[in-house]
Amino acid sequence: MMQLNLDDPRVKRTRRGLREAFVRLILKTGYDAISIQDIATEAQAARITFYRHYRDKEELLTDCLNVLYEELAARTEKASPQRILEGYSPVRVLYEHIEEEETLYRILFSSRGTQTVIERMRHHLAVTALATMEQSGRKPQGEIPLEIIAYHVASAQIGLAIWWLDQNKPYPADYMARISLWLTLTGLSETMGVTDFKPPPPSITS
Amino acid sequence: MMQLNLDDPRVKRTRRGLREAFVRLILKTGYDAISIQDIATEAQAARITFYRHYRDKEELLTDCLNVLYEELAARTEKASPQRILEGYSPVRVLYEHIEEEETLYRILFSSRGTQTVIERMRHHLAVTALATMEQSGRKPQGEIPLEIIAYHVASAQIGLAIWWLDQNKPYPADYMARISLWLTLTGLSETMGVTDFKPPPPSITS
DNA sequence: GGACTTGTGATACACTTTGTATCTATGTGA
DNA sequence: TCACATAGATACAAAGTGTATCACAAGTCC
């Protein structure tokens, strides 16, 4: 592909048009059903123009979603340790960003193919955790919905396992399983021996 | 598509052939590069045979990976609350299963398109968490690698956010952010008021 | 403003892939 | 062995892909 000058206003206009058209189409018909021609038509551009800018749909999608990563990364920078105390934790930044860019995040998170299986596994782990908690007959601090706790746990567990395999299993499976269980049970404060900072148990009102 | 008798040995043979051929090809060239013809050829079948069994690649992929979910779900059933004490936690089952079916899990977890962006976000959150922990100057219990803790936290946080959006935001973002932080810090034991059971801090030797 | 450069649009083409139809052959179970 | 369900071979229309060429329009620079 010949190099285009990304500062040229025509290039910027065209690319933005393609990105926006793509997002509209994904929301309307879903990723897989879209052809290059569809994107070009929706963006009121020639099909060949698409190929001048992107190799395929995948590349355009990445271009669309990269802004999310960059924005999030930039904002998270500012969430320094001290400011966590004031409520500026990276988690909060994440949630705020999702609210702002909800459309793009929906596309990002919308399960494509493989994802559905992971999703079902996570759901299963969550349901299992939920059952265990309900059987214990205890009530959570601050009336936190058990469902949330269950998905927190399941996400951490599946996610860590994915990381582990991705890293080519740098530790024994058995060791990982024990750590995973330990971390979900005791949390960071205990693990890191932090006693000075603890947020209040969250409630939906305060 | 006309219904096929899944008990017919010819059908079973054909489907297994297609599944196995597909897995081989994915590992060799990656999902996207594979055409239906490729799969049929690799499975030594006619292309039309593919269409008799699956609507498209996606459906075949799902068929390939469903066994993972079903196996995992079946095994997790057996991990009752009492047996967690003996080490039969759902997490352990997950890790063992991954070790057994490593090839399939690799395919399942291999990032397709959208996933890479989520992956980068998760990585960023992990790095942020890592930096915070390092700045604190504390050592974790039992010498747990900080990297693992970081990815545990990041996975839980991203995962819970995905769930939240998926459920159409049943709680305010602010509330979710506070819960997410609370859970990662304090863990299940404290949240659920469980004091009677705590596994020992994991070490790589024991 | 005028000349030059660069990006876009229109058209065309070869090629691949898809999804279906039709007919024949072969394996399966009663 | 016979009826039937499934697989293979071949063909075809339709859609999509990726590239080439040329004319035109929009930006840039003096």
Side-chain angles (χ1 to χ4, degrees), chain A residues 113-115 117-118 121 161-162 164-166 169, chain B residues 15-27 31 60-72 75 94 96-112:
Chain A
T114 324
Q115 278 310 94
V117 181
I118 297 182
M121 287 188 172
I162 292 176
W164 173 70
L165 193 54
D166 231 53
K169 310 194 287 180
Chain B
R15 290 175 84 104
R16 195 157 52 80
L18 288 172
R19 282 198 303 267
E20 291 175 3
F22 194 35
V23 168
R24 280 197 298 277
L25 289 177
I26 291 181
L27 290 173
Y31 180 89
L60 174 55
L61 181 66
T62 308
D63 192 32
C64 289
L65 298 177
N66 267 346
V67 299
L68 285 185
Y69 169 73
E70 275 150 27
E71 260 279 308
L72 182 68
R75 295 198 196 181
L94 173 62
E96 278 170 3
H97 197 220
I98 293 178
E99 289 237 287
E100 277 176 46
E101 297 288 353
E102 184 168 334
T103 306
L104 287 181
Y105 270 99
R106 275 195 191 282
I107 291 174
L108 177 60
F109 292 161
S110 69
S111 15
R112 302 217 293 106

Side-chain angles (χ1 to χ4, degrees), chain A residues 147-206:
Chain A
E147 213 185 0
I148 294 183
I149 303 179
Y151 272 93
H152 165 90
V153 170
S155 302
Q157 293 178 344
I158 275 268
L160 195 55
I162 292 176
W163 171 83
W164 173 70
L165 193 54
D166 231 53
Q167 301 290 312
N168 287 308
K169 310 194 287 180
Y171 306 97
D174 163 72
Y175 177 58
M176 290 300 295
R178 272 182 289 132
I179 288 190
S180 196
L181 187 58
W182 161 271
L183 286 175
T184 49
L185 285 175
T186 62
L188 271 197
S189 304
E190 165 128 8
T191 304
M192 297 299 291
V194 175
T195 49
D196 50 338
F197 166 60
K198 237 181 234 170
S203 78
I204 204 159
T205 50
S206 76

Side-chain angles (χ1 to χ4, degrees), chain A residues 15 18 34 38 40 42 49 58 64 67 83 88 92-93 96 119 129 141 144 148 176-177 184 193 205-206:
Chain A
R15 290 174 85 105
L18 289 172
I34 301 169
D38 294 336
E42 175 75 23
T49 300
E58 207 65 48
C64 290
V67 300
R83 303 186 72 185
Y88 284 116
R92 163 166 256 115
V93 171
E96 278 170 3
E119 210 42 60
Q141 289 266 9
I144 300 177
I148 294 183
M176 290 300 295
T184 49
T205 50
S206 76

Side-chain angles (χ1 to χ4, degrees), chain A residues 58 66 69 92 102 108 113-114 120 122 138 141 159 169 174 178 184-186 188-189 191 203 206, chain B residues 58 66 69 92 102 108 113-114 120 122 141 159 169 174 178 184-186 188-189 191-192 203 206:
Chain A
E58 207 65 48
N66 268 346
Y69 168 73
R92 163 166 256 115
E102 184 167 333
L108 177 61
T114 324
R120 281 165 61 197
R122 192 169 69 128
R138 296 172 184 280
Q141 289 266 9
K169 310 194 287 180
D174 163 72
R178 272 182 289 132
T184 49
L185 285 175
T186 62
L188 271 197
S189 304
T191 304
S203 78
S206 76
Chain B
E58 207 66 47
N66 267 346
Y69 169 73
R92 162 165 258 116
E102 184 168 334
L108 177 60
T114 325
R120 281 165 60 198
R122 191 169 69 128
Q141 289 266 9
K169 309 195 289 182
D174 163 72
R178 271 181 291 132
T184 49
L185 285 175
T186 62
L188 271 197
S189 305
T191 303
M192 296 300 290
S203 77
S206 78

Side-chain angles (χ1 to χ4, degrees), chain B residues 68-95:
Chain B
L68 285 185
Y69 169 73
E70 275 150 27
E71 260 279 308
L72 182 68
R75 295 198 196 181
T76 314
E77 295 295 328
K78 296 167 192 157
S80 59
Q82 307 89 288
R83 303 186 73 184
I84 293 182
L85 291 159
E86 307 157 28
Y88 284 117
S89 65
V91 210
R92 162 165 258 116
V93 172
L94 173 62
Y95 277 96

